[in-house]
């Protein structure tokens, strides 16, 4: 039997985070493009594109110039954030008595784990009761979060299908996130990308929890 304290199982949690960042950037870019070209703020038929563009920069004030600057900054930031995620990916370490998510600095102890489930998307962890953060999460959750999660995971599924066609080491499963949830409302998500990830996490669950991925209950909630 493997000693997961001496040799912890490490799983990279990077792929789905990159997909979430990409979809969020698409939301921002789509809004800026709509506001610039289709909202009627600027009449682009008045002349050449360059003439109308620079005239708008001079006459529309910060409303237009700020949006252009924000568009450029957001895309540059997204590019460097992608490089950072590729160079220093988020990792989850699975040990005998705990599971640790490094970049989020979240640890769930085995003795405190309430359940382990498989999920379509990562689950949010603890949100303080009565906090402004909780208010906004539930307010946005009614409208934006479901759409964001659906689009992000649809894109992730398409990307995994393409990866699978290129490299047979990848594994396509719909419920690809294993969620460890404890009695303190902490959640650690383990995203399964490859066949090796699936096999190793399954062995870990079998040895430490007497569970198998295919028999885990399914989770559909993004917070609790």
């Amino acid at each position: 039997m493997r000693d997961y304290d001496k040799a912890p199982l490490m799983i990279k949690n990077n792929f789905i985070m990159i997909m979430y960042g990409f979809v969020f950037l698409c939301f921002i870019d789509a809004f800026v493009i709509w506001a610039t070209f289709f909202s009627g703020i600027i009449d682009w038929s008045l002349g050449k594109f360059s003439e109308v563009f620079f005239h708008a920069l001079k006459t529309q004030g910060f409303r237009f110039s700020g949006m252009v600057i924000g568009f450029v900054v957001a895309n540059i930031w997204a590019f460097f954030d992608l490089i950072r995620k590729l160079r220093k990916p988020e990792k989850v370490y699975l040990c005998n008595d705990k599971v640790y998510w490094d970049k989020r600095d979240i640890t769930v102890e085995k003795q405190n784990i309430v359940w382990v489930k498989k999920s379509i998307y990562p689950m949010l962890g603890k949100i303080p009761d009565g906090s402004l953060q909780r208010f906004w999460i539930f307010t946005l959750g009614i409208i934006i979060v479901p759409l964001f999660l659906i689009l992000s995971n649809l894109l992730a599924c398409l990307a995994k299908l393409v990866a699978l066609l290129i490299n047979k080491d990848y594994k396509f499963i719909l419920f690809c996130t294993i969620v460890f949830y404890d009695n303190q409302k902490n959640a650690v998500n383990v995203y399964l990308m490859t066949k090796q990830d699936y096999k190793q996490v399954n062995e870990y669950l079998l040895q430490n929890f007497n569970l198998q991925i295919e028999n885990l209950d399914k989770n559909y909630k993004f917070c609790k």
Side-chain angles (χ1 to χ4, degrees), residues 128-143:
D129 292 331
S131 68
L132 184 63
Q133 183 183 10
R134 172 175 284 272
F135 169 77
W136 281 112
I137 284 177
F138 280 100
T139 302
L140 295 174
I142 297 174
I143 304 171

Side-chain angles (χ1 to χ4, degrees), residues 201-219:
V201 173
N202 197 56
E203 291 173 349
Y204 172 83
L205 289 174
L206 189 59
Q207 179 177 318
N208 290 274
F209 295 89
N210 197 28
L211 296 171
Q212 289 184 296
I213 294 175
E214 63 180 15
N215 296 325
L216 291 177
D217 292 334
K218 296 175 181 178
N219 172 62

Side-chain angles (χ1 to χ4, degrees), residues 137-174:
I137 284 177
F138 280 100
T139 302
L140 295 174
I142 297 174
I143 304 171
I144 298 176
V145 172
L147 177 62
F148 179 78
L149 289 174
I150 290 170
L151 290 176
S152 298
N153 286 278
L154 177 60
L155 178 63
C157 287
L158 292 174
K160 284 190 290 185
L161 284 173
V162 173
L164 183 59
L165 292 174
I166 298 172
N167 190 334
K168 299 301 181 181
D169 290 336
Y170 290 99
K171 184 177 181 66
F172 180 82
I173 49 175
L174 186 59

Side-chain angles (χ1 to χ4, degrees), residues 169-195:
D169 290 336
Y170 290 99
K171 184 177 181 66
F172 180 82
I173 49 175
L174 186 59
F175 288 84
C176 52
T177 300
I178 307 302
V179 183
F180 294 84
Y181 188 81
D182 70 6
N183 55 15
Q184 303 298 315
K185 297 183 179 181
N186 294 307
V188 172
N189 303 285
V190 181
Y191 192 84
L192 305 178
M193 185 68 182
T194 66
K195 293 178 181 178

Side-chain angles (χ1 to χ4, degrees), residues 25 28-29 32 53 65-80:
L25 180 66
I28 295 176
D29 287 351
V32 172
F53 179 81
S65 61
M67 188 162 52
V68 172
I69 293 171
F71 177 82
V72 174
V73 170
N75 282 272
I76 292 175
W77 175 85
F79 173 76
F80 283 106

